[in-house]
Amino acid sequence: MAFYDDLLAATEAERRAFLSIPLLQQSIAGGISLQAYTAFLTEAYHHVKHTTPLLMMCGGRLPERLEWLREAVGEYIKEEMGHQEWMTSMPAVPMPRRSEAGRPCRLPS
């Protein structure tokens, strides 16, 4: 467990900073509003939607000498597949629309 202990020690400040984010604190305590959760998922949708295609492109460009990494990318792809459908199947999460310029539209706050 030496690596894990070293990793915990090396990331202590970052973990504390992450865990102190107000929205995260509210969600851990069960106090996040449906409106805030919906807004979060709406913004996260674009990241989730593009993760799998980017990973596929990355895996396809890895040379044979990095086969171990290609296999790891493949496992991550399997884990990420379908998350955007899951997010948009939730009644509270509106399907993201595009503006006339082709950029994602932000929901009003």
Side-chain angles (χ1 to χ4, degrees):
M1 280 266 224
F3 174 75
Y4 180 71
D5 294 333
D6 291 345
L7 185 60
L8 284 179
T11 60
E12 178 73 26
E14 291 82 2
R15 281 185 294 111
R16 264 192 269 134
F18 176 72
L19 292 172
S20 70
I21 296 171
L23 186 62
L24 185 59
Q25 286 291 312
Q26 291 170 359
S27 64
I28 290 170
I32 190 170
S33 69
L34 179 58
Q35 181 182 7
Y37 185 59
T38 301
F40 171 78
L41 288 178
T42 301
E43 293 296 320
Y45 170 83
H46 301 287
H47 164 76
V48 171
K49 182 179 189 306
H50 297 289
T51 297
T52 301
L54 287 171
L55 287 169
M56 288 176 167
M57 193 169 25
C58 173
R61 292 178 179 209
L62 289 171
E64 189 174 337
R65 66 182 173 77
L66 296 176
E67 182 63 26
W68 63 271
L69 184 56
R70 189 180 314 162
E71 289 176 16
V73 169
E75 288 298 316
Y76 188 35
I77 290 169
K78 282 189 231 176
E79 184 180 312
E80 291 297 316
M81 292 290 286
H83 284 185
Q84 73 275 10
E85 286 90 5
W86 170 79
M87 291 174 77
T88 58
S89 70
M90 300 170 74
V93 181
M95 179 62 87
R97 296 176 299 277
R98 296 214 168 257
S99 69
E100 290 178 21
R103 290 185 294 277
C105 295
R106 288 186 169 269
L107 292 177
S109 48

